Amino acid sequence: MSNGSVERRIRRRSVHRSRSTAVAIALVVLVLVAAWIGTESVLRAIGRPPLLADPQTAVDAALRPDASFVTIAEVIAVVLVVLGIVLVVLALKPGRQHRSVIEHERGAVIIDSRILASTAANAAGSAAGVPEGNASATARGRRTDVRVVPVSGIPVDEAAVRTAVQDRLSGLDDRFGRSVRVRVEEKGTLA
């Protein structure tokens, strides 16, 4: 395997979430149901009473349903449909983590979106001249939202804050500085 393909696999595994938990849960449920059916069949074959319900009795009840059986069957069907929808969504959903890949001459660097948000908040706070706690940011994908709470009596230049955040994020990678939204709160805080 070449170095490039190994690096691509490492990047993909670092950025995308594993689906192994959902698969493991589905397999455990399937194994438990199969074990129950097998146990009940063996108990019936040796003439012992069933643990929960005899499979043949369940089949006979399904072929000649009464009102209570229909209600139980409908509840079980709804639960199975919801479980099926959840498993289909988990299978088709991209499963991205809140991480991004930054190309570097020595290899790829994986950066968490909280690091991007912290970098953006730091740049916004410095550009706005506000204390550290007065600037916050969130980063999702390539979009960064910055919120600045000004110090009372000192105006904040929104354009200067946006430019500072864009410059700082573009220093990491050009993709991150493209979509920056800055919101300056109307009410400030005391210094």
Side-chain angles (χ1 to χ4, degrees), residues 36-98:
W36 171 71
I37 291 172
T39 303
E40 295 292 3
S41 298
V42 168
L43 288 174
R44 180 180 170 99
I46 62 173
R48 287 286 189 63
L51 292 175
L52 298 174
D54 180 26
Q56 186 61 45
T57 307
V59 169
D60 292 342
L63 294 176
R64 287 179 268 113
D66 60 347
S68 63
F69 181 81
V70 170
T71 304
I72 292 171
E74 288 172 348
V75 169
I76 291 172
V78 167
V79 168
L80 290 176
V81 165
V82 169
L83 181 65
I85 290 171
V86 167
L87 289 176
V88 167
V89 167
L90 286 175
L92 297 177
K93 198 173 149 190
R96 285 199 43 94
Q97 302 255 32
H98 298 292

Side-chain angles (χ1 to χ4, degrees), residues 73-168:
E74 288 172 348
V75 169
I76 291 172
V78 167
V79 168
L80 290 176
V81 165
V82 169
L83 181 65
I85 290 171
V86 167
L87 289 176
V88 167
V89 167
L90 286 175
L92 297 177
K93 198 173 149 190
R96 285 199 43 94
Q97 302 255 32
H98 298 292
R99 297 178 185 154
S100 298
V101 177
I102 297 175
E103 296 300 327
H104 192 267
E105 67 264 1
R106 297 172 94 191
V109 176
I110 309 297
I111 188 166
D112 193 73
S113 63
R114 290 176 291 200
I115 301 291
L116 292 173
S118 178
T119 302
N122 186 319
S126 296
V130 298
E132 186 177 316
N134 287 26
S136 61
T138 57
R140 291 222 178 247
R142 294 183 177 142
R143 179 178 170 176
T144 306
D145 294 325
V146 178
R147 181 178 158 265
V148 178
V149 179
V151 175
S152 293
I154 301 174
V156 173
D157 183 10
E158 190 175 312
V161 171
R162 182 179 299 106
T163 303
V165 171
Q166 287 173 335
D167 290 346
R168 180 83 57 92

Side-chain angles (χ1 to χ4, degrees), residues 5-15 110:
S5 65
V6 170
E7 190 174 306
R8 279 193 303 276
R9 283 183 47 214
I10 290 171
R11 278 189 229 160
R12 177 153 172 49
R13 284 184 167 212
S14 298
V15 175
I110 309 297

